[in-house]
Amino acid sequence: MHLILAMMKHETNTFSPLRTDWARFEAWGAFTGDSARQAFEGTAMPLGAYIKLARERGASFAIPMAAEAMPSGPVERDAYERMANAICEEVAKGCDGVLLDLHGAMVTQDEEDGEGELLARIRKIAPDIPIAVTLDLHTNLTRRMVENCTALIGYKTYPHVDMYEVAEQIGRIVLDSMEGKCRPVMSWINLPLLSQTLKQGTDDEPMKSLIAMTREAEAQPGILAASVFGGFPMADIQEAGTSVIIVADGDREKADKVRDDIAKRTWAARETFIYQHEPLEQAVARAKTLTDGPVLLLDHADNTGSGGTQDVMTVIGEVIRQGLEDVAVAAVWDPEAVQQMAKAGVGSTVTLKLGGRTDMPSIGRTGEPLEITGKVRTVTDGEWIVRGPMYTGVTVKMGPTAVLDTGKVQIVIVSRHHEPWDTGVFRSVGIQPEHKRYLILKSRIHYRAGFAPLAKATITCDGHGVTTSDNSILEFKRVRRPIYPLDRLNEDTLLPPAAD
């Protein structure tokens, strides 16, 4: 048996001004061949699971591409074709099966559905080839994705700490089908619900109950996999939305029933998928009354893990204005500031115009730097290995990194975008986050993987940025209409017919 294993991942924020060229993939990690095996074997990533399965079955395997970039704007043509062509060319050489680690919300300069396009190309080359697909919980599920694979599954956790487990599950299903042990059939639906990622945490309602339903479904005889996708609402595409897919062993009728049960519960909970705002000044003032730390302050509108520019200073500026003390920030993207600090040297006092390097035309804002004075506390190369439960074993490369200490606030400043989901973002530069009173994190939900065990309280801070949860400042042009909450669908709106 010969298998093709591959990773091609990007969560595309169509409102983001950040370029997604090949260099952005290289900055986070782009590997081929044996270098890909070395990078991912033994990690808690889907490719790690696929490699394990191949070895268990005594199969040979090739990894033509393993690439991922931090979320940003649409993927440029050259970058997409480089990845897709590498995978398709390897399939064309001949194989018995394909195991893919994709995202599910990739938008390119030419295609709204980057994953569906890749799968359709593979199917054209090898119409009968078995294909397993692992997708992110924020997938915008499309017909082309479903029709061009054998079986697919999504993560059941947000933050995503089960990537390895779900990849192993779907990989086994497809490999078993190749041996005649099962016959996967899929039933799916995409609801007209543009739920917000800030309300998709799987430790919170309504996702907590919906995920429980998928686990209960998988415990039933004949149900091989069940997934509910929260969707990614920052991708303004026709088929964006919340969806459900069931993989059954030959029993389509049973799959339909399970799908509809979960979809109806999802639709009934649509109001709870929408974030309720609080004025920033009020949120920071409330945080100031809390004396037991760490208190987490989430700068969620500038979450680089959803395509934020990571250089908006609104929340940091308000925290400084209100005089909060013993604060650490992760992280501000500002390569120029890092260079200035490195040139000045550790121990030097510098005055910087920090952040605000990026204009955000989609929300009508220009970059606004914050003038700030502090001491250069640390300068590093920004490399460290994740030890927490998400991306375990993966090497993070933040690029040249520095810490600016104002006396009250310590700010981690990076040269490459990186969402703070692991405490290594602080520890690697000499900050012990558990001893801080406040931690400002440019994150939405992934921070929980590393920081939830430390937190005494968590407050969402509604600043500015292209990952805002305020739909009123976003101009949706492509998404299907009507869709909730952009359109206030009547309470008696019936569950839409199945997408298939």
Side-chain angles (χ1 to χ4, degrees):
M1 183 188 293
H2 182 65
L3 303 174
I4 306 299
L5 320 179
M7 177 176 80
M8 187 183 83
K9 298 173 78 166
H10 186 257
E11 184 175 79
T12 305
N13 182 332
T14 58
F15 300 99
S16 176
L18 300 176
R19 284 186 63 188
T20 311
D21 54 8
W22 179 241
R24 190 166 180 86
F25 284 91
E26 289 182 308
W28 179 251
F31 306 90
T32 60
D34 197 57
S35 65
R37 180 197 61 77
Q38 292 177 28
F40 292 100
E41 187 165 19
T43 69
M45 299 294 287
L47 267 185
Y50 289 159
I51 292 170
K52 172 193 172 184
L53 291 175
R55 295 201 185 284
E56 282 183 354
R57 307 271 173 144
S60 61
F61 61 88
I63 308 178
M65 180 59 61
E68 180 175 12
M70 287 299 291
S72 44
V75 178
E76 294 184 6
R77 183 177 298 109
D78 172 72
Y80 182 80
E81 293 301 335
R82 184 188 296 253
M83 295 183 290
N85 287 343
I87 296 169
C88 290
E89 287 169 6
E90 193 66 34
V91 171
K93 294 176 183 178
C95 63
D96 298 295
V98 181
L99 308 182
L100 297 175
D101 174 19
L102 307 178
H103 185 283
M106 177 185 283
V107 182
T108 78
Q109 290 178 327
D110 305 306
E111 290 284 344
E112 288 194 351
D113 177 13
E115 291 86 358
E117 171 66 15
L118 171 68
L119 289 165
R121 291 184 187 184
I122 294 173
R123 272 281 185 250
K124 187 175 182 180
I125 295 167
D128 300 320
I129 199 76
I131 302 173
V133 179
T134 301
L135 296 171
D136 193 284
L137 181 137
H138 302 116
T139 287
N140 291 318
L141 192 63
T142 69
R143 179 178 296 277
R144 279 207 300 174
M145 291 183 201
V146 179
E147 290 183 346
N148 289 290
C149 72
T150 305
L152 65 79
I153 195 170
Y155 310 151
K156 288 182 172 61
T157 59
Y158 181 28
H160 309 322
V161 297
D162 65 336
M163 293 186 282
Y164 184 97
E165 289 77 13
V166 296
E168 184 175 16
Q169 181 180 351
I170 204 67
R172 288 192 188 283
I173 290 168
V174 171
L175 292 174
D176 284 350
S177 73
M178 293 166 62
E179 297 176 359
K181 297 178 180 178
C182 63
R183 185 169 63 87
V185 295
M186 294 187 286
S187 178
W188 69 290
I189 187 169
N190 188 324
L191 300 165
L193 169 59
L194 207 61
S195 69
Q196 294 176 322
T197 53
L198 192 56
K199 301 294 289 182
Q200 292 177 15
T202 52
D203 289 330
D204 310 326
E205 295 297 351
M207 285 298 289
K208 184 177 181 178
S209 292
L210 297 175
I211 294 297
M213 290 184 73
T214 65
R215 295 191 187 282
E216 291 166 5
E218 290 178 344
Q220 298 179 32
I223 300 298
L224 302 175
S227 304
V228 56
F229 295 107
F232 186 58
M234 313 308 295
D236 181 19
I237 63 172
Q238 177 71 20
E239 295 179 86
T242 304
S243 56
V244 179
I245 187 164
I246 308 300
V247 184
D249 187 3
D251 191 339
R252 178 57 182 273
E253 185 176 344
K254 186 169 187 176
D256 288 348
K257 182 182 185 307
V258 174
R259 174 203 65 197
D260 287 345
D261 287 346
I262 298 174
K264 288 174 182 176
R265 177 78 68 87
T266 304
W267 185 243
R270 60 192 179 277
E271 288 187 14
T272 56
F273 274 113
I274 310 305
Y275 173 67
Q276 302 301 316
H277 296 269
E278 177 183 16
L280 176 60
E281 183 177 348
Q282 179 178 308
V284 174
R286 182 158 57 88
K288 194 174 182 179
T289 67
L290 303 176
T291 58
D292 190 14
V295 176
L296 307 186
L297 306 178
L298 304 181
D299 189 0
H300 63 92
D302 191 32
N303 167 30
T304 190
S306 295
T309 61
Q310 203 179 349
D311 65 350
V312 180
M313 303 302 291
T314 308
V315 172
I316 297 168
E318 183 62 24
V319 166
I320 292 173
R321 189 188 72 81
Q322 293 200 31
L324 277 64
E325 299 183 357
D326 196 17
V327 182
V329 181
V332 173
W333 175 80
D334 192 333
E336 283 189 41
V338 175
Q339 290 178 17
Q340 293 175 46
M341 293 168 69
K343 184 176 181 179
V346 173
S348 301
T349 297
V350 296
T351 297
L352 304 171
K353 289 186 175 180
L354 184 62
R357 303 281 179 186
T358 316
D359 294 337
M360 297 169 282
S362 67
I363 59 173
R365 299 194 70 89
T366 57
E368 299 177 24
L370 179 68
E371 186 167 284
I372 190 167
T373 298
K375 182 178 288 188
V376 180
R377 205 42 94 179
T378 308
V379 177
T380 77
D381 64 5
E383 292 192 16
W384 47 278
I385 297 174
V386 178
R387 302 301 183 190
M390 180 176 164
Y391 278 72
T392 310
V394 172
T395 298
V396 170
K397 298 179 180 180
M398 302 187 297
T401 298
V403 175
L404 183 69
D405 190 344
T406 71
K408 294 183 179 180
V409 181
Q410 292 181 321
I411 305 173
V412 181
I413 307 170
V414 299
S415 299
R416 291 176 177 169
H417 296 96
H418 175 68
E419 182 179 356
W421 62 64
D422 189 86
T423 59
V425 72
F426 288 120
R427 299 192 195 283
S428 65
V429 293
I431 296 173
Q432 295 178 299
E434 65 271 25
H435 297 307
K436 289 294 179 180
R437 184 172 173 186
Y438 301 103
L439 299 174
I440 299 177
L441 303 174
K442 286 184 176 288
S443 181
R444 250 205 263 264
I445 300 292
H446 279 326
Y447 75 91
R448 295 179 182 179
F451 293 95
L454 307 181
K456 297 299 191 296
T458 301
I459 295 177
T460 51
C461 297
D462 299 349
H464 301 123
V466 294
T467 66
T468 178
S469 295
D470 185 354
N471 287 330
S472 69
I473 70 171
L474 298 172
E475 185 180 1
F476 288 90
K477 298 178 180 179
R478 300 178 183 177
V479 72
R480 59 192 153 147
R481 306 297 287 267
I483 193 167
Y484 187 89
L486 305 184
D487 306 291
R488 307 303 293 190
L489 302 181
N490 295 331
E491 287 301 312
D492 60 353
T493 300
L494 298 176
L495 184 71
D500 54 351

